[in-house]
Amino acid sequence: MAIVSSGSTEPATAPTGPGLGPLLRAWREQRRVSQLELALRADSSARHISFIETGRSRPSEEMVLRLAEHLDVPVRERNALLLAAGYAPHYPETPLDDPALAALRAGMEQLIHGYEPYPALVVDAMYDVHAANRGILMLLDGIPEHLLAPPLNAMRLTLHPEGLAPRIRNLREWRGHLLAQMDRQIALRRSVRLRRLYEEVAAYPVPEEEPSGTAEPAAPVPYFALPLRIEHEGRVLSFISSISTFNTPMDVTVAELAIETLLPADPATVKYLQSLLP
C-alpha cells in the first residue's frame, strides 16, 4: 500500500477564540507547571508570565515559541498560540504527497517494507493509515469493503465489530490500551476530531466473553509488554506494538506521523509469519 495523503489535516486554531493568555495558562496548568517554574525554564520572570496570561503584555514571537517549547506543546498547537498572539504560523503544514516530502515518503516506505514479514504501518494524528506493508494487509484479509474505503482508520479497523475486534483474543485489554492511548492524545492535542473518533470507537459493542475456539500455545508464554493476540486462519498470533515518531520535526505533517511496528512476541508467531511471507 503506497503512502498517500488522506486529506484529513486539521487547521491551526484561529485567533477568534480565547486570546494567547488563556491558551498559555491552560497549557501551563495541564502540564502542572507554575508561573515561576515556567519563567525559570524560559529565562523570564513570573511577573512577565503573569502579564502574558492576563493580557497585560504581548510577548515576542520568539518568547511564544520558547514558552511552547518548554511546555511541550505540539507543533500544530504552537501555530495556534502564535495566531492567538497576532503572529503568522511558524511551522508549515506540507501535504504528504507534496514533492518536497518525496525523500521522507521513500524512507518510510523502505522502513515498513524492510520490516516484512512482520506488520508495519504509517498513521497520522487521527490514526488514518497512510501506508501499510504486506504483514498488515495479511491481518486485514476478509475485512468488509466499507471499512477499507479510504481513508483507512486504524482505530476503526481494530475496534469495529466487523473489523479486527472479533479476531482479537484479548479484546478487552487491547481495547482499553487503545482508548487510553487516544485519551492521552486528546489531552495533548485538544483535537475535536480526535475526540469524536474516540467517542465513536468507544461506543462500539464489546462481546461479554473473549473470542475462543482457536489453537493456543501448549504452554503460556511470558510477555514483557501487553501483547495483541489475534486470530489468523486458525492460529493465535501474538505481537508487541512499537511506535516511532520523528525527532524535532519542523513541519506539522511530519510531527503528526507515526510508524507502528508489530514485533512477534513468541517463536510460533515468528515461524508462521516467515513461512507465510518469505
Side-chain angles (χ1 to χ4, degrees), residues 9-12 61 65 74-79 82 88-96 98 100-101 248-256:
T9 56
E10 279 186 293
E61 180 179 2
L65 290 171
V75 171
R76 180 183 295 277
E77 302 307 322
R78 295 183 192 191
N79 279 345
L82 287 168
H90 180 77
Y91 300 95
E93 185 171 1
T94 309
L96 190 54
D98 190 285
L101 296 183
T248 318
M250 302 300 293
D251 186 283
V252 174
T253 299
V254 178
E256 296 180 350

Side-chain angles (χ1 to χ4, degrees), residues 48 117 208:
H48 187 42
E208 294 184 5

Side-chain angles (χ1 to χ4, degrees), residues 210-222:
E210 302 286 9
S212 60
T214 54
E216 294 283 4
V221 177

Side-chain angles (χ1 to χ4, degrees), residues 172-191:
R172 289 184 179 276
E173 283 184 304
W174 194 251
R175 175 180 181 273
H177 153 68
L178 293 182
L179 293 180
Q181 176 180 304
M182 292 183 72
D183 195 48
R184 289 192 297 270
Q185 289 297 107
I186 291 168
L188 180 67
R189 296 187 60 241
R190 303 179 186 180
S191 166

Side-chain angles (χ1 to χ4, degrees), residues 105-121 132-135 259 261-262 274 277-278:
R105 295 194 305 271
M108 290 191 296
E109 288 274 15
Q110 185 175 4
L111 275 174
I112 64 173
H113 290 302
Y115 196 68
E116 293 176 352
Y118 309 144
L121 70 163
N133 67 6
R134 290 187 299 162
I259 301 173
T261 53
L262 297 180
Q274 289 180 343
L277 297 173

